[in-house]
Structures are given as C-alpha cells and as structure tokens.
Amino acid sequence: MSLKLQNGTRLVAATHNPGKAVEIAALLDGRFDIVSAGDLGLPEPDEIEQTFMGNALLKARAAADRAGLVAIADDSGLSVAALDGAPGIFSARWAGPDKDFGHAMKKVEERLEEVGSGDRAAWFTSALAVAWPDGPCVVVEGRVDGTLVFPPRGERGFGYDPIFLPEGRDQTFGEMDPAEKDALSHRARAFEKLKAALFE
Ligand code: IMP
C-alpha cells in the first residue's frame, strides 16, 4: 500500500480540542478534509506511554481503528535538561485542571532551585503520528532548543512560551511575532518532516 496521502483525503484529527483540529488542518496546507475525534464522538484514550512519539502513536492508532479513517495525532511539551527532561510528556498536566501555566512555569523555576543547577538548557518537542486503519503508522518528531529565562517574558503564544528563549534569539516565544515562532518551532519542524514523508 502507498503511504502517500492524496489531496482531499478525509482524515481524523485525534483530538477533542476543536482549535487543535483547525490548526492541524492549516499546518497540512488545507489539503485534507479534517474531522476531529470529538466531532465523531470517539473516546479519548489514556496517554499511558512514556514518550511523545508513543503517545502520538497511541492516539492516532485508537482514532484510526475506531473511525476506519486515516488519523493524525500530536503530542508535545517542554523538556528541561537539569530536570532530567521534565515536565516532558507531563507538560500539560503540570498546569493542573485550571490549565494555569503561570503556576506551571513557577513550578519549573522552583524545581530548578531545588536541584541547585545553573543549567538552563531546555527544548520543545512535537511528535506527529499518522495511522491507517488496521495498517501502518508513520511518526516524526520536531525539536527546538533554547534556554529558560525567569521571570517569564511576553504575553504572546501559550503554555511555556514566556520562559523559552530559542537558541540564537533575544526574544522569548512569548515576546516573538507569532509568524517568527511558527517559522522555527518544534511543531513547524515536525510538520515539515511529515509533509516530506506523506505528500505526493
Ligand atoms: P498536548 O496538547 O498534550 O500535546 O500538551 C502539550 C503541552 O505542552 C501544552 O499544554 C503546553 O503546555 C506545552 N507546549 C507544547 N508546545 C508548546 C509551545 O509551542 N509553546 C508553549 N508550550 C507548549
């Protein structure tokens, strides 16, 4: 079978977040007919794997097999070198049920103080998986390296953006023009790899 995706193919975005489904559709250049797992009433699987790729694959596989359609899923987060890669796959969970990233960024700062390391190296990872129903999967990962800054800087972006200074830049993701972030982000890099693998 071909692992290329033809324009107009119906794809399930394995997410219950309507904003994320729209973002995925745009990052795939509007080539596909995207429906979200939420729209199809599919259950949300527990993210029980230990890696970004593992969780992306698990979500794509579950949606593809349930829906009988090719599915795409992502998993992403911030990893801090001095914290052995934390929060990593737990990035969203560190913000708690209220999705309070002020709290999550504070927690990163406190953990760094606890370990007493001056190492501020960190990176964002985005894993993307595409699964065919009862068939193969393709998975790719994009990464952007940088350093952490405290206090947080900038009101733009989301999540941990205000504490992340990408390598070679003097503005955090929270200060940067969104188009500039989109040009170098982990997500953009992962989508480039996915498109190279799957587009005709
Ligand atoms: P996911 O939606 O389960 O993949 O969770 C990803 C979490 O990682 C988000 O809630 C953010 O906390 C964090 N994250 C991922 N990408 C970014 C980014 O580009 N900027 C800031 N935080 C991010």
Side-chain angles (χ1 to χ4, degrees), residues 20 75-77 91-92 101 124 158-161 181 186-187:
K20 193 176 252 187
D75 200 51
S76 61
S91 293
F101 283 95
F124 277 119
F158 67 98
Y160 298 88
D161 279 344
K181 176 187 168 186
H186 47 309
R187 197 164 289 103

Side-chain angles (χ1 to χ4, degrees), residues 11-32 34-36 39 72-76 126-128 157-159 161 178-179 181-183 185-192 194-195 199:
L11 294 186
V12 193
T15 176
H16 285 66
N17 175 346
K20 193 176 252 187
V22 170
E23 188 192 7
I24 288 174
L27 285 162
L28 292 170
D29 304 337
R31 287 177 181 237
F32 305 111
I34 306 260
V35 57
S36 79
D39 289 341
I72 180 167
D74 79 332
D75 200 51
S76 61
S126 166
L128 292 172
F158 67 98
D161 279 344
K181 176 187 168 186
D182 289 347
S185 78
H186 47 309
R187 197 164 289 103
R189 289 174 179 172
F191 270 93
E192 282 315 308
L194 194 73
K195 290 193 255 187
F199 281 14

Side-chain angles (χ1 to χ4, degrees), residues 54-68:
N55 280 326
L57 280 169
L58 169 158
K59 288 185 270 186
R61 166 61 47 221
D65 291 350
R66 284 273 188 156

